[in-house]
Amino acid sequence: MSYLETTKNVYKEAALTPDVGLCCTTNPIWELPGLKIPKIMQEMNYGCGSTVHARDLSNNPKMLYVGVGGGMELLQFSYFNREKGGVIGIDVVDEMLEASRKNFIEAETQNPWFKSEFVDLRKGDALNLPVEDNSIDVAAQNCLFNIFKEADLKKAIAEMYRVLKPHGRLVMSDPTCEQPMNNNLRNDERLRALCLSGSLPINEYVKMLTDAGFGTIEIRARKPYRILSPKDYDTNELIYIESIEVAAIKDPMPADGPCVFTGKAAIYFGENDFFDDNAGHILLKNQPLAICDKTAGALAKLNRDDIFISKSTYHYDGGGCC
């Protein structure tokens, strides 16, 4: 049995019998004005963060969500595009698709504005999406890509890149881990399916995205997720796993490399009203400017004593240098 078949079976079981806390964190459930999320959807929220951000969802975007779970984030996305088929949901597990269909019927009773036809549920594989090229404004996945091994992960990211329109956004939440994991953990198919042993370090995760062609990366959140303890897992040390929320934007790749925002800022505090680095960045006096890591490096090389560059906060909330 392949690890992907093991994953399919785990989520078949979770569709037939909801497994509260299968891979969820304590993220708040976003109930926007007029939006009510049925309890069954909350119980089947098999994610590790949130991919629903209002700033990504203006002007009725065409949306894609891969790995439908109980349908909660599909319902949340539909709030921003109330058109027939405005949101596409794809899953390889028949039982999960059927569970979502049933949950949408319940959502209709609690949300007068919602119709199940807003969501186009399709049987499909993340490695071969049944979606046209350059047709999606916002694509999302929650706690899915970390399951894939390297070759499959490259395919899944390439597929998302293919279906996005120019400047479209891939919004994701996945576990990450900076510590090395032994091969026994890495090769444990069930632990992969449970979003525990496939976690990559953040830098490797980001490189997979930029290697696929995404020119801008935003790391929006970094949160505690799980502990693998020697008492419970095949490891000699405690392994700390975090979850991150990331947006990868299908911008053209800059000639000097991708713009990766990790929550750094620059503050100019010199004698003038502003500082112009003559590279497209103007720092107003005592006004923090969000900067990508590339710009932070370039400013640091100036060796000025009137520019402060903060460390990465791993929380980027828009605006900035690029």
Side-chain angles (χ1 to χ4, degrees), residues 109-156:
T109 68
Q110 299 185 30
N111 296 276
W113 58 269
F114 177 69
K115 298 179 182 178
S116 294
E117 67 179 20
F118 292 167
V119 182
D120 177 6
L121 287 175
R122 302 179 186 179
K123 173 74 175 288
D125 189 333
L127 308 182
N128 187 24
L129 295 172
V131 180
E132 295 178 358
D133 296 359
N134 304 307
S135 62
I136 300 297
D137 295 297
V138 178
Q141 66 84 19
N142 196 331
C143 217
L144 171 64
F145 280 9
N146 75 99
I147 293 172
F148 292 131
K149 294 184 179 180
E150 183 176 356
D152 290 333
L153 178 55
K154 288 181 179 179
K155 290 179 183 178

Side-chain angles (χ1 to χ4, degrees), residues 159-203:
E159 276 293 277
M160 289 291 212
Y161 188 88
R162 174 183 66 80
V163 303
L164 281 170
K165 297 176 182 177
H167 307 293
R169 293 170 179 260
L170 169 56
V171 186
M172 300 165 289
S173 180
D174 270 312
T176 61
C177 183
E178 301 302 317
Q179 294 170 260
M181 287 194 191
N182 63 53
N183 288 334
N184 288 344
L185 292 175
R186 288 290 188 200
N187 295 325
D188 187 310
E189 294 180 356
R190 186 168 180 84
L191 289 184
R192 271 194 175 270
L194 295 174
C195 304
L196 293 175
S197 66
S199 307
L200 294 174
I202 291 175
N203 286 343

Side-chain angles (χ1 to χ4, degrees), residues 239-305:
I239 296 178
Y240 172 52
I241 302 175
E242 298 175 300
S243 68
I244 59 169
E245 296 175 12
V246 177
I249 304 172
K250 193 176 177 178
D251 287 339
M253 182 65 67
D256 59 349
C259 294
V260 180
F261 289 87
T262 61
K264 291 181 178 178
I267 303 176
Y268 168 67
F269 55 95
E271 297 180 353
N272 299 316
D273 292 335
F274 65 90
F275 171 77
D276 185 347
D277 71 350
N278 295 313
H281 313 113
I282 295 178
L283 281 64
L284 300 179
K285 187 173 183 176
N286 283 323
Q287 297 295 314
L289 177 71
I291 53 174
C292 71
D293 289 4
K294 183 174 57 179
T295 298
L299 290 173
K301 288 180 180 178
L302 298 176
N303 293 317
R304 295 183 65 100
D305 61 4

